[in-house]
């Protein structure tokens, strides 16, 4: 039994006939037949009823339910072997939200490089919604972001909490106040991350108890909000870990629940079989974020 035979068996089931499976795999039909016969001989039972259509036997149906797991496991073993042979030369594709990219990511990468000097990383910066869809498209191995409530096919492991913070320039009238209320925000426009940002959604939910919403300007990059706040008389809404220039201050104002859980987001299908490089990077994220 080898991976090719298992893949051929699964393809026959998907395509419905031996000839269609052979065409999809770019094999001669005799090759497909031989692979199935070898597999049946090794297993000790018949997988398909004989005939034009690839109809599974009762034993074949039971075995078919296990094939995807076997293929995943076999692919994982081969991937591990190739990684060791190549000293893990390759690329991890990691999604990160902006605050992670600006805070813990450099320290994680420094430690990761000590263990995996031949492994490179490509980082995609975006909000949780964007990164969630990239995970579904299999363009990312995993992401460090918030929890995606709209995509149930993803698994979220919380690591730490970000807090929503309100910022103004030092010459803003709010900067001198020791106490503020949410109602005060209506005096100025708010500069907020895009509507799909988790903290934007949380902010709107908090403000929905008032008769109306304040005026919003939305910016897709949270890291650019301080520049707007320095230029326009406004209040910026950011995450507390975002580094701020000296001419901006944080207001003494909190939401009922200002915390946004941040953690590791990945496809449910890819949790079980992970490369050692991916496991290491995720472990380093947990260790450094929890300090």
């Amino acid at each position: 039994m080898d991976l090719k035979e298992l893949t051929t068996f699964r393809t026959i089931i998907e395509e419905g006939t031996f000839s269609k499976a052979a065409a999809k795999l770019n094999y001669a039909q005799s090759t497909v037949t031989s692979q199935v016969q070898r597999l049946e001989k090794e297993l000790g039972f018949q997988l398909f009823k004989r005939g034009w259509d690839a109809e599974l036997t009762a034993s074949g149906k039971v075995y078919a339910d296990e094939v995807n797991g076997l293929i995943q496991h076999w692919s994982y073993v081969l991937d591990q072997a190739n990684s060791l042979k190549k000293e893990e030369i390759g690329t991890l594709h990691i999604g990160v939200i902006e605050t992670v990219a600006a805070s813990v990511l450099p320290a994680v990468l420094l430690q990761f490089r000590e263990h995996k000097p031949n492994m490179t990383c490509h980082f995609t910066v975006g909000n949780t919604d964007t990164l969630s869809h990239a995970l579904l498209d299999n363009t990312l191995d995993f992401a460090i972001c918030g929890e995606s409530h709209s995509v149930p096919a993803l698994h979220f492991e919380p690591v730490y909490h970000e807090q929503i913070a309100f910022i103004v320039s030092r010459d803003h009238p709010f900067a001198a106040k020791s106490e503020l209320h949410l109602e005060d925000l209506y005096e100025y426009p708010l500069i907020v991350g895009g509507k799909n940002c988790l903290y934007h959604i949380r902010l709107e939910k908090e403000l929905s108890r008032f008769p109306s919403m304040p005026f919003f300007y939305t910016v897709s990059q949270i890291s650019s909000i301080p520049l707007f706040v320095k230029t326009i008389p406004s209040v910026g809404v950011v995450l507390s870990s975002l580094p701020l220039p000296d001419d901006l201050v944080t207001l003494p104002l909190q939401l009922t629940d200002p915390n946004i859980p941040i953690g590791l987001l990945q496809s449910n299908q890819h949790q079980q079989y992970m490369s050692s490089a991916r496991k290491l990077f995720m472990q380093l994220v947990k260790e450094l974020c929890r300090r």
Side-chain angles (χ1 to χ4, degrees):
M1 184 190 307
D2 62 25
L3 185 57
K4 287 183 179 179
E5 291 171 359
L6 294 175
T7 302
T8 296
F9 175 60
R10 183 178 63 181
T11 306
I12 294 169
I13 296 170
E14 292 171 348
E15 297 299 312
T17 67
F18 280 52
S19 58
K20 288 181 180 178
K24 184 171 183 179
L25 295 168
N26 200 26
Y27 290 161
Q29 187 167 336
S30 59
T31 302
V32 170
T33 302
S34 296
Q35 287 180 343
V36 171
Q37 289 173 345
R38 286 198 302 271
L39 190 55
E40 288 179 330
K41 183 177 180 180
E42 189 165 352
L43 292 170
F45 55 81
Q46 193 171 313
L47 293 168
F48 294 101
K49 296 177 182 178
R50 298 305 179 229
W52 288 105
D53 293 328
E55 185 180 353
L56 289 166
T57 63
S59 298
K61 289 178 181 177
V62 173
Y63 188 69
D65 290 338
E66 304 297 326
V67 161
N68 283 334
L70 286 170
I71 290 174
Q72 275 191 324
H73 178 71
W74 205 306
S75 298
Y76 171 71
V77 170
L78 290 176
D79 178 63
Q80 290 293 88
N82 287 330
S83 293
L84 292 170
K85 182 172 66 178
K86 297 177 182 178
E87 296 184 58
E88 300 211 11
I89 298 171
T91 303
L92 279 177
H93 295 271
I94 304 168
V96 292
I97 56 174
E98 286 182 80
T99 50
V100 169
S103 54
V104 298
L105 190 57
V108 172
L109 185 57
L110 180 64
Q111 289 197 21
F112 179 78
R113 180 169 170 73
E114 292 178 3
H115 296 277
K116 306 287 185 183
N118 296 317
M119 194 83 186
T120 188
C121 300
H122 175 76
F123 301 104
T124 299
V125 181
N127 62 29
T128 295
D129 185 64
T130 301
L131 299 177
S132 298
H133 286 92
L135 284 167
L136 287 181
D137 293 338
N138 292 317
T139 57
L140 294 176
D141 293 307
F142 67 96
I144 311 165
C145 58
E147 182 173 10
S148 178
H149 297 285
S150 62
V151 186
L154 301 177
H155 172 76
F156 179 71
E157 181 183 356
V159 177
Y160 72 104
H161 285 88
E162 288 274 16
Q163 285 203 331
I164 297 172
F166 298 86
I167 61 172
V168 294
S169 62
R170 288 192 178 275
D171 58 359
H172 192 287
F174 284 173
K177 293 190 175 184
S178 58
E179 184 178 355
L180 286 167
H181 304 282
L182 284 177
E183 298 94 316
D184 298 325
L185 296 177
Y186 285 74
E187 295 182 38
Y188 295 91
L190 301 184
I191 313 291
V192 189
K195 285 186 174 292
N196 291 331
C197 289
L198 290 178
Y199 87 99
H200 186 129
I201 296 169
R202 179 74 58 81
L203 177 65
E204 284 195 332
K205 182 179 180 181
E206 183 89 13
L207 295 173
S208 64
R209 57 191 174 92
F210 296 106
S212 62
M213 285 285 179
F215 189 85
F216 283 174
Y217 288 113
T218 57
V219 183
S220 61
Q221 287 188 313
I222 298 175
S223 57
S224 65
I225 290 177
L227 180 61
F228 283 85
V229 172
K230 288 196 293 184
T231 308
I232 303 168
S234 58
V235 176
V237 187
V238 297
L239 294 177
S240 57
S241 66
L242 184 72
L244 297 178
D246 292 337
D247 49 356
L248 295 183
V249 295
T250 302
L251 296 178
L253 180 65
Q254 278 198 341
L255 304 182
T256 304
D257 181 9
N259 294 315
I260 303 289
I262 303 297
L264 300 167
L265 191 66
Q266 58 185 314
S267 169
N268 282 325
Q269 296 178 345
H270 299 154
Q271 281 188 81
Q272 187 174 1
Y273 302 112
M274 292 190 289
S275 68
S276 60
R278 181 175 162 191
K279 285 181 180 178
L280 173 64
F281 201 102
M282 295 172 73
Q283 184 59 39
L284 290 173
V285 170
K286 294 178 191 178
E287 290 174 1
L288 289 171
C289 288
R290 287 171 175 164
R291 285 180 182 175

